[in-house]
Structures are given as C-alpha cells and as structure tokens.
Amino acid sequence: AFLSLPRPPDRGGALAFAAMSFWGAAIKPGQKEKVDVPATEVLHLSQVCLHEPKTGKNYLQVAVAGSTYTLCCLEKDKVEHNSLDLFFGPDAPTFLNKGSSEVHLSGYLEPMEDDDDMDEDEEEEEEAAAAPSGPKAAAKAAAAKASPKASPKAAPKAEAKDAAKAKSPKVEPAKQSPKVAAKASPKAA
C-alpha cells in the first residue's frame, strides 16, 4: 500500500512554482508494490527503513523496464535505515521486499521538467556565471570598457623586473667545485 498526499491547488499567476507532494509505501515481507508514477511527474525515493525489525537481512529491490536491481540491504541492529537519492519516471517501478521485516519507503513526487525549461535555465546559469556580479565587478567592467588601456596591472611589474635585469651587472656562472671539475675532465694517462 502506498500513500500520496494531494498537491496544493494551482493558484496561477506570475509566481507559479513546481509543487512537490509526499509519497510513501509500506511493503510487507516477500511482497511487491508497483508504483504508477503519473506521466508528468517524477518519483524521488529518499528514505528506506525497517518497520518493527526482525532478525535477518532484508533486500529492497526495484524492477524497472524488465531489469531488477538491489537498492539496499537492511538488517536489525546493524543497518535499519538507508538514505537514497533515486528518481523514477513513468516506467512504473515495482519495489520488492526480500526479507522477514516490513520495509517503509518514503520520498516525494515532483513535476517533470520540460527540456525547453532546462535549456533556458542552463542558458541563464551560464550567463550569470560568465558575468561578474556585485557593484565592484560592475564598476571594473565599466572602467575596462571606457579605458583604452587593455593591459592588466601585473604587466607594469613584469616590465619593471625585465628592466632591472637589464641594468644589473652581468653575473658569471658559479665555478665548479674541484671534485666536480675532476670528474668532468678526462684523466691524463
């Protein structure tokens, strides 16, 4: 048996937001629970826990699109709950409880995002990341546009270092130690 609370009514208007609703299921030992996810929503499975744990391991599995996967293994007095971050679309996942204890699942249903909305959101994020924010950044950007000088502040320092090197007396390479010199030169026979 599963529980899904109704969504709040859509009030419309400019500030419409995506509402999420709680979802939960209780699966008896050895039983299956098929979840019909509406075509316009996504099921987010967040938490799994044992209810009145009994001795032995409990494997929570999910069957989706003809394949079965084990999501977690729960055991009394060892691992009695597990946090998950799994999303299921309208493929009607079936959860299986292989064990001796009842397993409770909880999560929420949320509206599925349109690809068009995601593209617009990604573009806005890229623009925001590319453009510096804050009053100082805006002032710097305006000054850079107004100023014909395009070189960074570090360039004068680099030029000063180059000029100092040119003015300094020429330093001769260090002389080698006698041992190194002896090893490098061929021995006279």
Side-chain angles (χ1 to χ4, degrees):
F2 74 92
L3 170 70
S4 180
L5 298 178
R7 293 187 180 282
D10 183 14
R11 307 259 187 251
L15 297 176
F17 62 93
M20 293 181 262
S21 61
F22 174 82
W23 173 88
I27 306 173
K28 303 273 185 206
Q31 297 296 310
K32 303 178 186 186
E33 183 72 38
K34 183 176 181 179
V35 179
D36 291 319
V37 180
T40 59
E41 295 183 330
V42 175
L43 170 65
H44 179 242
L45 179 59
S46 311
Q47 185 75 26
V48 181
C49 69
L50 294 176
H51 177 70
E52 298 178 1
K54 295 178 177 63
T55 306
K57 293 183 178 182
N58 290 271
Y59 295 93
L60 176 66
Q61 297 181 325
V62 64
V64 178
S67 298
T68 302
Y69 305 96
T70 300
L71 300 179
C72 63
C73 176
L74 304 174
E75 190 172 1
K76 180 181 179 179
D77 297 327
K78 292 186 179 179
V79 180
E80 294 187 2
H81 64 89
N82 197 350
S83 294
L84 301 171
D85 190 19
L86 300 174
F87 293 84
F88 298 94
D91 298 340
T94 301
F95 296 98
L96 300 93
N97 177 3
K98 297 209 171 191
S100 56
S101 299
E102 184 174 313
V103 176
H104 286 197
L105 311 170
S106 62
Y108 56 89
L109 292 165
E110 66 178 282
M112 189 179 295
E113 287 189 14
D114 294 334
D115 287 340
D116 294 339
D117 291 344
M118 282 190 2
D119 292 341
E120 289 174 9
D121 292 342
E122 288 173 2
E123 287 175 9
E124 288 174 7
E125 287 175 8
E126 288 174 6
E127 289 172 6
S133 61
K136 288 185 179 181
K140 283 184 180 179
K145 285 181 182 177
S147 172
K149 187 175 180 181
S151 62
K153 289 183 179 179
K157 289 180 183 177
E159 289 172 5
K161 284 183 181 179
D162 291 341
K165 283 182 183 178
K167 290 180 182 177
S168 68
K170 190 172 184 180
V171 178
E172 293 185 25
K175 293 184 180 181
Q176 295 179 344
S177 69
K179 287 183 180 178
V180 173
K183 287 182 181 178
S185 67
K187 291 185 178 180

PDB file of all heavy atoms in Angstrom, residues 4 7 17-18 20 24-26 37-38 50 53 61 63 71 79 81 83 103 110-111 113 155 158-159 162-163 168:
ATOM      1  N   SER A   4       0.028   8.863  -1.139  1.00  0.00           N
ATOM      2  CA  SER A   4       0.458  10.062  -1.849  1.00  0.00           C
ATOM      3  C   SER A   4      -0.509  11.169  -1.479  1.00  0.00           C
ATOM      4  O   SER A   4      -1.703  11.048  -1.698  1.00  0.00           O
ATOM      5  CB  SER A   4       0.440   9.827  -3.356  1.00  0.00           C
ATOM      6  OG  SER A   4       0.855  10.982  -4.021  1.00  0.00           O
ATOM      7  N   ARG A   7      -1.699  17.422  -4.071  1.00  0.00           N
ATOM      8  CA  ARG A   7      -0.934  18.660  -4.273  1.00  0.00           C
ATOM      9  C   ARG A   7      -1.791  19.852  -3.883  1.00  0.00           C
ATOM     10  O   ARG A   7      -3.011  19.815  -4.005  1.00  0.00           O
ATOM     11  CB  ARG A   7      -0.574  18.810  -5.751  1.00  0.00           C
ATOM     12  CG  ARG A   7       0.368  17.788  -6.223  1.00  0.00           C
ATOM     13  CD  ARG A   7       0.766  18.156  -7.657  1.00  0.00           C
ATOM     14  NE  ARG A   7       1.686  17.186  -8.142  1.00  0.00           N
ATOM     15  CZ  ARG A   7       2.978  17.152  -7.816  1.00  0.00           C
ATOM     16  NH1 ARG A   7       3.474  18.049  -7.022  1.00  0.00           N
ATOM     17  NH2 ARG A   7       3.761  16.228  -8.276  1.00  0.00           N
ATOM     18  N   PHE A  17       4.983  27.972  -9.076  1.00  0.00           N
ATOM     19  CA  PHE A  17       6.149  27.174  -8.746  1.00  0.00           C
ATOM     20  C   PHE A  17       5.801  25.699  -8.843  1.00  0.00           C
ATOM     21  O   PHE A  17       4.640  25.323  -8.851  1.00  0.00           O
ATOM     22  CB  PHE A  17       6.666  27.509  -7.338  1.00  0.00           C
ATOM     23  CG  PHE A  17       5.665  27.211  -6.253  1.00  0.00           C
ATOM     24  CD1 PHE A  17       5.677  25.993  -5.602  1.00  0.00           C
ATOM     25  CD2 PHE A  17       4.729  28.149  -5.887  1.00  0.00           C
ATOM     26  CE1 PHE A  17       4.760  25.710  -4.615  1.00  0.00           C
ATOM     27  CE2 PHE A  17       3.809  27.874  -4.901  1.00  0.00           C
ATOM     28  CZ  PHE A  17       3.823  26.655  -4.257  1.00  0.00           C
ATOM     29  N   ALA A  18       6.822  24.879  -8.907  1.00  0.00           N
ATOM     30  CA  ALA A  18       6.619  23.440  -9.013  1.00  0.00           C
ATOM     31  C   ALA A  18       6.374  22.884  -7.616  1.00  0.00           C
ATOM     32  O   ALA A  18       7.248  22.949  -6.762  1.00  0.00           O
ATOM     33  CB  ALA A  18       7.846  22.787  -9.639  1.00  0.00           C
ATOM     34  N   MET A  20       5.706  19.941  -4.853  1.00  0.00           N
ATOM     35  CA  MET A  20       6.067  18.553  -4.627  1.00  0.00           C
ATOM     36  C   MET A  20       5.093  17.985  -3.613  1.00  0.00           C
ATOM     37  O   MET A  20       4.563  18.708  -2.774  1.00  0.00           O
ATOM     38  CB  MET A  20       7.489  18.453  -4.092  1.00  0.00           C
ATOM     39  CG  MET A  20       8.524  18.883  -5.108  1.00  0.00           C
ATOM     40  SD  MET A  20      10.178  18.734  -4.473  1.00  0.00           S
ATOM     41  CE  MET A  20      10.456  20.418  -3.978  1.00  0.00           C
ATOM     42  N   GLY A  24       4.798   7.730   0.004  1.00  0.00           N
ATOM     43  CA  GLY A  24       5.298   6.689   0.883  1.00  0.00           C
ATOM     44  C   GLY A  24       4.657   5.356   0.561  1.00  0.00           C
ATOM     45  O   GLY A  24       3.574   5.285  -0.020  1.00  0.00           O
ATOM     46  N   ALA A  25       5.347   4.279   0.940  1.00  0.00           N
ATOM     47  CA  ALA A  25       4.829   2.928   0.719  1.00  0.00           C
ATOM     48  C   ALA A  25       5.314   2.022   1.840  1.00  0.00           C
ATOM     49  O   ALA A  25       6.427   2.190   2.346  1.00  0.00           O
ATOM     50  CB  ALA A  25       5.291   2.388  -0.629  1.00  0.00           C
ATOM     51  N   ALA A  26       4.483   1.071   2.232  1.00  0.00           N
ATOM     52  CA  ALA A  26       4.839   0.047   3.213  1.00  0.00           C
ATOM     53  C   ALA A  26       4.748  -1.302   2.498  1.00  0.00           C
ATOM     54  O   ALA A  26       3.695  -1.646   1.960  1.00  0.00           O
ATOM     55  CB  ALA A  26       3.895   0.086   4.408  1.00  0.00           C
ATOM     56  N   VAL A  37       3.625   5.993 -11.534  1.00  0.00           N
ATOM     57  CA  VAL A  37       4.052   7.393 -11.493  1.00  0.00           C
ATOM     58  C   VAL A  37       3.361   8.108 -12.642  1.00  0.00           C
ATOM     59  O   VAL A  37       3.451   7.669 -13.795  1.00  0.00           O
ATOM     60  CB  VAL A  37       5.588   7.502 -11.628  1.00  0.00           C
ATOM     61  CG1 VAL A  37       6.022   8.956 -11.595  1.00  0.00           C
ATOM     62  CG2 VAL A  37       6.280   6.702 -10.540  1.00  0.00           C
ATOM     63  N   PRO A  38       2.650   9.210 -12.373  1.00  0.00           N
ATOM     64  CA  PRO A  38       1.987   9.939 -13.463  1.00  0.00           C
ATOM     65  C   PRO A  38       2.998  10.360 -14.535  1.00  0.00           C
ATOM     66  O   PRO A  38       4.162  10.636 -14.238  1.00  0.00           O
ATOM     67  CB  PRO A  38       1.396  11.162 -12.760  1.00  0.00           C
ATOM     68  CG  PRO A  38       1.244  10.742 -11.328  1.00  0.00           C
ATOM     69  CD  PRO A  38       2.383   9.808 -11.066  1.00  0.00           C
ATOM     70  N   LEU A  50      13.380  -0.152   8.095  1.00  0.00           N
ATOM     71  CA  LEU A  50      12.679  -1.339   8.595  1.00  0.00           C
ATOM     72  C   LEU A  50      11.611  -0.882   9.579  1.00  0.00           C
ATOM     73  O   LEU A  50      11.834   0.017  10.387  1.00  0.00           O
ATOM     74  CB  LEU A  50      13.653  -2.278   9.304  1.00  0.00           C
ATOM     75  CG  LEU A  50      14.730  -2.928   8.447  1.00  0.00           C
ATOM     76  CD1 LEU A  50      15.663  -3.755   9.325  1.00  0.00           C
ATOM     77  CD2 LEU A  50      14.111  -3.798   7.367  1.00  0.00           C
ATOM     78  N   PRO A  53      11.674  -4.255  13.107  1.00  0.00           N
ATOM     79  CA  PRO A  53      12.659  -5.179  12.539  1.00  0.00           C
ATOM     80  C   PRO A  53      12.668  -6.554  13.206  1.00  0.00           C
ATOM     81  O   PRO A  53      12.506  -6.674  14.414  1.00  0.00           O
ATOM     82  CB  PRO A  53      13.999  -4.478  12.759  1.00  0.00           C
ATOM     83  CG  PRO A  53      13.706  -3.138  13.305  1.00  0.00           C
ATOM     84  CD  PRO A  53      12.281  -3.079  13.691  1.00  0.00           C
ATOM     85  N   GLN A  61      14.533  -4.368  -3.513  1.00  0.00           N
ATOM     86  CA  GLN A  61      14.866  -4.401  -4.930  1.00  0.00           C
ATOM     87  C   GLN A  61      13.845  -3.594  -5.707  1.00  0.00           C
ATOM     88  O   GLN A  61      12.727  -3.372  -5.242  1.00  0.00           O
ATOM     89  CB  GLN A  61      14.880  -5.840  -5.444  1.00  0.00           C
ATOM     90  CG  GLN A  61      15.926  -6.698  -4.788  1.00  0.00           C
ATOM     91  CD  GLN A  61      15.926  -8.128  -5.334  1.00  0.00           C
ATOM     92  OE1 GLN A  61      14.886  -8.677  -5.659  1.00  0.00           O
ATOM     93  NE2 GLN A  61      17.112  -8.700  -5.440  1.00  0.00           N
ATOM     94  N   ALA A  63      12.283  -3.325  -9.786  1.00  0.00           N
ATOM     95  CA  ALA A  63      12.220  -3.844 -11.153  1.00  0.00           C
ATOM     96  C   ALA A  63      11.712  -2.718 -12.037  1.00  0.00           C
ATOM     97  O   ALA A  63      10.632  -2.164 -11.801  1.00  0.00           O
ATOM     98  CB  ALA A  63      11.281  -5.040 -11.227  1.00  0.00           C
ATOM     99  N   LEU A  71      18.577  -2.283  -4.269  1.00  0.00           N
ATOM    100  CA  LEU A  71      18.853  -0.907  -3.858  1.00  0.00           C
ATOM    101  C   LEU A  71      19.606  -0.841  -2.537  1.00  0.00           C
ATOM    102  O   LEU A  71      20.478  -0.006  -2.361  1.00  0.00           O
ATOM    103  CB  LEU A  71      17.556  -0.115  -3.744  1.00  0.00           C
ATOM    104  CG  LEU A  71      16.714   0.004  -5.006  1.00  0.00           C
ATOM    105  CD1 LEU A  71      15.447   0.803  -4.740  1.00  0.00           C
ATOM    106  CD2 LEU A  71      17.521   0.621  -6.125  1.00  0.00           C
ATOM    107  N   VAL A  79      21.947  -2.108  10.211  1.00  0.00           N
ATOM    108  CA  VAL A  79      21.554  -1.041   9.279  1.00  0.00           C
ATOM    109  C   VAL A  79      20.038  -1.126   9.151  1.00  0.00           C
ATOM    110  O   VAL A  79      19.524  -1.938   8.395  1.00  0.00           O
ATOM    111  CB  VAL A  79      22.219  -1.228   7.893  1.00  0.00           C
ATOM    112  CG1 VAL A  79      21.799  -0.120   6.951  1.00  0.00           C
ATOM    113  CG2 VAL A  79      23.718  -1.287   8.012  1.00  0.00           C
ATOM    114  N   HIS A  81      18.047   1.594   8.451  1.00  0.00           N
ATOM    115  CA  HIS A  81      17.516   2.595   7.509  1.00  0.00           C
ATOM    116  C   HIS A  81      18.612   2.957   6.518  1.00  0.00           C
ATOM    117  O   HIS A  81      19.797   2.727   6.763  1.00  0.00           O
ATOM    118  CB  HIS A  81      17.005   3.846   8.230  1.00  0.00           C
ATOM    119  CG  HIS A  81      18.080   4.588   8.953  1.00  0.00           C
ATOM    120  ND1 HIS A  81      18.828   5.569   8.366  1.00  0.00           N
ATOM    121  CD2 HIS A  81      18.549   4.455  10.214  1.00  0.00           C
ATOM    122  CE1 HIS A  81      19.700   6.033   9.243  1.00  0.00           C
ATOM    123  NE2 HIS A  81      19.565   5.363  10.372  1.00  0.00           N
ATOM    124  N   SER A  83      19.443   6.126   3.410  1.00  0.00           N
ATOM    125  CA  SER A  83      19.054   7.295   2.610  1.00  0.00           C
ATOM    126  C   SER A  83      19.382   7.019   1.155  1.00  0.00           C
ATOM    127  O   SER A  83      20.456   6.505   0.845  1.00  0.00           O
ATOM    128  CB  SER A  83      19.819   8.532   3.064  1.00  0.00           C
ATOM    129  OG  SER A  83      19.435   8.875   4.368  1.00  0.00           O
ATOM    130  N   VAL A 103       9.157  -3.188   5.214  1.00  0.00           N
ATOM    131  CA  VAL A 103      10.026  -2.084   4.808  1.00  0.00           C
ATOM    132  C   VAL A 103       9.150  -0.897   4.424  1.00  0.00           C
ATOM    133  O   VAL A 103       8.168  -1.045   3.694  1.00  0.00           O
ATOM    134  CB  VAL A 103      10.918  -2.498   3.608  1.00  0.00           C
ATOM    135  CG1 VAL A 103      11.747  -1.324   3.125  1.00  0.00           C
ATOM    136  CG2 VAL A 103      11.811  -3.663   3.986  1.00  0.00           C
ATOM    137  N   GLU A 110       7.381  14.968  -7.852  1.00  0.00           N
ATOM    138  CA  GLU A 110       7.578  16.337  -8.316  1.00  0.00           C
ATOM    139  C   GLU A 110       7.299  16.403  -9.806  1.00  0.00           C
ATOM    140  O   GLU A 110       7.450  15.399 -10.510  1.00  0.00           O
ATOM    141  CB  GLU A 110       8.973  16.842  -7.998  1.00  0.00           C
ATOM    142  CG  GLU A 110      10.085  16.120  -8.723  1.00  0.00           C
ATOM    143  CD  GLU A 110      11.444  16.694  -8.393  1.00  0.00           C
ATOM    144  OE1 GLU A 110      11.777  17.756  -8.964  1.00  0.00           O
ATOM    145  OE2 GLU A 110      12.149  16.106  -7.587  1.00  0.00           O
ATOM    146  N   PRO A 111       6.899  17.569 -10.294  1.00  0.00           N
ATOM    147  CA  PRO A 111       6.629  17.702 -11.723  1.00  0.00           C
ATOM    148  C   PRO A 111       7.896  17.464 -12.539  1.00  0.00           C
ATOM    149  O   PRO A 111       8.993  17.859 -12.138  1.00  0.00           O
ATOM    150  CB  PRO A 111       6.168  19.149 -11.881  1.00  0.00           C
ATOM    151  CG  PRO A 111       5.781  19.586 -10.521  1.00  0.00           C
ATOM    152  CD  PRO A 111       6.598  18.792  -9.559  1.00  0.00           C
ATOM    153  N   GLU A 113      10.458  18.221 -15.390  1.00  0.00           N
ATOM    154  CA  GLU A 113      10.845  19.444 -16.092  1.00  0.00           C
ATOM    155  C   GLU A 113      10.813  19.210 -17.588  1.00  0.00           C
ATOM    156  O   GLU A 113      11.190  18.150 -18.067  1.00  0.00           O
ATOM    157  CB  GLU A 113      12.261  19.867 -15.687  1.00  0.00           C
ATOM    158  CG  GLU A 113      12.337  20.437 -14.301  1.00  0.00           C
ATOM    159  CD  GLU A 113      13.699  21.040 -14.025  1.00  0.00           C
ATOM    160  OE1 GLU A 113      14.472  21.251 -14.969  1.00  0.00           O
ATOM    161  OE2 GLU A 113      13.976  21.295 -12.857  1.00  0.00           O
ATOM    162  N   ALA A 155      51.237  43.723 -15.630  1.00  0.00           N
ATOM    163  CA  ALA A 155      52.170  43.982 -16.724  1.00  0.00           C
ATOM    164  C   ALA A 155      53.236  45.009 -16.349  1.00  0.00           C
ATOM    165  O   ALA A 155      54.409  44.797 -16.631  1.00  0.00           O
ATOM    166  CB  ALA A 155      51.424  44.400 -17.967  1.00  0.00           C
ATOM    167  N   ALA A 158      55.941  43.303 -14.343  1.00  0.00           N
ATOM    168  CA  ALA A 158      56.777  42.423 -15.159  1.00  0.00           C
ATOM    169  C   ALA A 158      57.776  43.246 -15.966  1.00  0.00           C
ATOM    170  O   ALA A 158      58.952  42.868 -16.087  1.00  0.00           O
ATOM    171  CB  ALA A 158      55.908  41.582 -16.087  1.00  0.00           C
ATOM    172  N   GLU A 159      57.307  44.387 -16.483  1.00  0.00           N
ATOM    173  CA  GLU A 159      58.206  45.257 -17.240  1.00  0.00           C
ATOM    174  C   GLU A 159      59.310  45.794 -16.336  1.00  0.00           C
ATOM    175  O   GLU A 159      60.472  45.894 -16.734  1.00  0.00           O
ATOM    176  CB  GLU A 159      57.422  46.404 -17.876  1.00  0.00           C
ATOM    177  CG  GLU A 159      56.526  45.967 -19.011  1.00  0.00           C
ATOM    178  CD  GLU A 159      55.608  47.087 -19.488  1.00  0.00           C
ATOM    179  OE1 GLU A 159      55.736  48.227 -18.998  1.00  0.00           O
ATOM    180  OE2 GLU A 159      54.754  46.797 -20.340  1.00  0.00           O
ATOM    181  N   ASP A 162      61.953  43.122 -15.833  1.00  0.00           N
ATOM    182  CA  ASP A 162      62.792  42.973 -17.030  1.00  0.00           C
ATOM    183  C   ASP A 162      63.808  44.108 -17.115  1.00  0.00           C
ATOM    184  O   ASP A 162      64.974  43.892 -17.432  1.00  0.00           O
ATOM    185  CB  ASP A 162      61.930  42.946 -18.295  1.00  0.00           C
ATOM    186  CG  ASP A 162      61.094  41.673 -18.395  1.00  0.00           C
ATOM    187  OD1 ASP A 162      61.441  40.694 -17.703  1.00  0.00           O
ATOM    188  OD2 ASP A 162      60.108  41.691 -19.166  1.00  0.00           O
ATOM    189  N   ALA A 163      63.386  45.323 -16.783  1.00  0.00           N
ATOM    190  CA  ALA A 163      64.291  46.469 -16.831  1.00  0.00           C
ATOM    191  C   ALA A 163      65.385  46.333 -15.778  1.00  0.00           C
ATOM    192  O   ALA A 163      66.549  46.648 -16.027  1.00  0.00           O
ATOM    193  CB  ALA A 163      63.502  47.758 -16.623  1.00  0.00           C
ATOM    194  N   SER A 168      71.219  45.270 -14.275  1.00  0.00           N
ATOM    195  CA  SER A 168      72.110  44.627 -13.303  1.00  0.00           C
ATOM    196  C   SER A 168      73.386  44.145 -13.982  1.00  0.00           C
ATOM    197  O   SER A 168      73.392  43.795 -15.156  1.00  0.00           O
ATOM    198  CB  SER A 168      71.407  43.461 -12.619  1.00  0.00           C
ATOM    199  OG  SER A 168      71.189  42.435 -13.551  1.00  0.00           O
TER     200      SER A 168
END
